[in-house]
Amino acid sequence: MPDKIALLDLTYAQLRDLLKSWGEPPFRADQVWGWLYRSLVSDFDQMRNLPKELRTRLDEAAYLQTLTPLAESVSADGLTRKVLFALQDGETIESVFMRYERRRTVCVSTQVGCPVGCPFCATGQSGFRRNLTAGEIVEQVLYFARQLMGDKGKGEKDTGEGISNVVLMGMGEPLLNYEATWQAIETLNEAKGFGLGARRITLSTVGVVPGIRRLSREQLQVGLAVSLHAPTDRLRNKLVPLNRRYPLHRLMAACRDYAQETGRRITFEYALMEGINDSLEQAQRLGRLLQGLTCHVNLIPLNPTVESPYQPSSHKAALAFRRELERQKIPTTMRVGRGVDIQAGCGQLRGKRE
Ligand code: SAH
Ligand code: SF4
């Protein structure tokens, strides 16, 4: 469909302009937007209050669906589901849906593969293919939202059983695909449509300093998570190759400015790897690095990947690490390995298939 418009790639303003150029009255944009992001239709024929001619014209000029589910795996407890999607050009991405307490969270990908190449990450090991478009990012959320709506058999999403949170923590580095990622966030947040509050959206970055600075100037304030994984440049250069471009002193300065400008607390992600980054001395250094910053550390058990030599830390080492951070008054949580049995670590299902 080379000449057709991918409708989900349009911002609200672009949709309004398109319909206006077709001679439609201004309220049509609200109607179409509502069908797309509130009623979650996947077909123009379902847009029942539009005149038949407009539906036909939309169908001729545009298309809605770009993701085709190829495989799905469900965790043993049934609470985590991971889907592998094919894109129109045959590339593949993964998205994960998680039920946790009262939350229904979708974890979305922002790129096909990832150019950063962290050696412990399945996505990083698979290389980089391309950026996703805003529509491809949004559609991952719509896919699960439609299923939830279907489960309830209701025609509208405002049943309290829709998607409650979106995390940009799937494949790819969102801040290396800033434009599309930000547009997707705005589309999900738009009040006339999906209406997901900015506080319910969390973006995880490996530390792209200009991107963090740009985020702090945005009107919408989404949650920010920074994947740290090491307290020294020497180690971080190895675990997160982008650290060579944005070393710790620059990253921490950007984080401090971000916290000050936005008044928001940053989450630092730290995947504990046995004998690599989990010693008591490293915990002490990490604590010193974060002193005085409004933050929170999330210790993640490493998901071992096929190609990587890294192993998760022992429970004992993880507890000692956590105790040291708490001794330094740094709020710390320890994520339990969720969906390990379905290889919910990013990029792992895709890797298995290839
Ligand atoms: N590129 C971004 C977002 C996607 S990765 C980033 O790196 O932050 C999302 C999270 O998964 C990151 O915190 C990343 O470090 C973590 N991750 C990647 N591979 C992992 C693995 N094998 N085990 C545990 N966490 C992993
Ligand atoms: Fe990319 Fe994040 Fe994986 Fe590193 S951890 S390779 S930045 S997706």
Side-chain angles (χ1 to χ4, degrees):
M1 288 173 260
D3 300 314
K4 286 198 174 190
I5 302 163
L7 213 63
L8 300 182
D9 275 341
L10 302 188
T11 62
Y12 177 79
Q14 288 168 335
L15 177 69
R16 191 191 54 207
D17 292 349
L18 175 75
L19 294 171
K20 193 171 157 204
S21 75
W22 289 357
E24 293 292 335
F27 62 86
R28 287 282 182 241
D30 278 1
Q31 285 180 327
V32 174
W33 192 262
W35 283 116
L36 293 177
Y37 300 111
R38 203 168 261 280
S39 310
L40 308 177
V41 303
S42 49
D43 194 324
F44 295 114
D45 262 348
Q46 293 169 283
M47 301 185 171
R48 289 187 305 272
N49 61 357
L50 302 188
K52 181 88 179 83
E53 310 81 70
L54 178 57
R55 276 184 274 160
T56 308
R57 183 156 190 191
L58 278 166
D59 196 38
E60 282 165 6
Y63 60 97
L64 284 180
Q65 197 175 341
T66 62
L67 304 184
T68 312
L70 290 182
E72 174 168 329
S73 49
V74 182
S75 63
D77 60 13
L79 297 178
T80 304
R81 275 167 49 214
K82 175 147 122 167
V83 177
L84 179 75
F85 292 109
L87 307 173
Q88 283 189 310
D89 57 4
E91 297 290 356
T92 54
I93 54 161
E94 297 174 359
S95 320
V96 183
F97 173 74
M98 294 163 280
R99 279 182 187 272
Y100 184 64
E101 290 172 354
R102 297 186 58 118
R103 293 186 177 185
R104 295 162 304 275
T105 303
V106 183
C107 173
V108 298
S109 294
T110 54
Q111 297 182 311
V112 182
C114 178
V116 179
C118 304
F120 57 87
C121 166
T123 304
Q125 286 155 13
S126 71
F128 174 65
R129 304 286 298 181
R130 69 169 173 86
N131 282 331
L132 294 186
T133 67
E136 287 167 334
I137 299 171
V138 168
E139 198 179 334
Q140 298 169 60
V141 180
L142 299 185
Y143 175 85
F144 294 104
R146 283 177 190 141
Q147 289 194 337
L148 283 183
M149 203 166 80
D151 290 350
K152 296 285 283 182
K154 297 261 169 64
E156 291 285 321
K157 107 179 203 336
D158 312 64
T159 53
E161 251 296 305
I163 300 299
S164 66
N165 295 76
V166 168
V167 295
L168 297 114
M169 293 190 185
M171 296 166 56
E173 169 47 52
L175 297 185
L176 292 179
N177 182 18
Y178 196 101
E179 303 293 337
T181 295
W182 194 255
Q183 185 185 321
I185 288 171
E186 288 189 325
T187 295
L188 292 171
N189 174 256
E190 218 293 320
K192 289 193 276 268
F194 203 74
L196 187 67
R199 284 174 185 279
R200 296 172 174 275
I201 303 174
T202 301
L203 183 151
S204 173
T205 178
V206 77
V208 181
V209 167
I212 294 173
R213 297 207 173 275
R214 197 168 157 190
L215 270 184
S216 67
R217 296 190 297 266
E218 296 286 358
Q219 285 281 320
L220 275 183
Q221 293 290 317
V222 299
L224 179 64
V226 175
S227 302
L228 207 52
H229 306 315
T232 61
D233 281 319
R234 210 179 128 106
L235 179 60
R236 200 163 188 269
N237 285 343
K238 233 167 73 183
L239 296 180
V240 177
L242 198 72
N243 192 69
R244 295 197 191 106
R245 179 131 44 112
Y246 305 115
L248 280 172
H249 72 275
R250 285 189 62 192
L251 175 57
M252 295 318 294
C255 289
R256 283 177 197 278
D257 292 347
Y258 179 93
Q260 193 150 48
E261 279 161 38
T262 64
R264 297 205 63 178
R265 187 169 82 150
I266 298 176
T267 296
F268 289 98
E269 308 268 7
Y270 197 102
L272 287 166
M273 306 175 209
E274 183 163 46
I276 304 286
N277 66 356
D278 64 347
S279 73
L280 201 56
E281 196 212 329
Q282 284 160 325
Q284 287 162 354
R285 277 179 182 262
L286 178 61
R288 284 201 297 274
L289 190 68
L290 301 179
Q291 258 342 296
L293 183 64
T294 345
C295 71
H296 160 254
V297 172
N298 191 19
L299 297 173
I300 318 168
L302 184 79
N303 243 315
T305 68
V306 187
E307 297 86 355
S308 105
Y310 302 108
Q311 291 300 317
S313 299
S314 69
H315 191 57
K316 195 170 153 223
L319 284 180
F321 200 94
R322 178 181 190 173
R323 261 199 308 275
E324 171 58 25
L325 290 176
E326 285 176 340
R327 196 187 62 79
Q328 295 198 39
K329 306 269 183 295
I330 303 203
T332 305
T333 48
M334 214 141 86
R335 195 198 285 169
V336 273
R338 302 207 64 230
V340 176
D341 57 330
I342 59 160
Q343 302 185 298
C346 74
Q348 292 185 357
L349 182 65
R350 174 168 173 262
K352 200 165 103 185
R353 195 175 165 97
E354 281 170 357

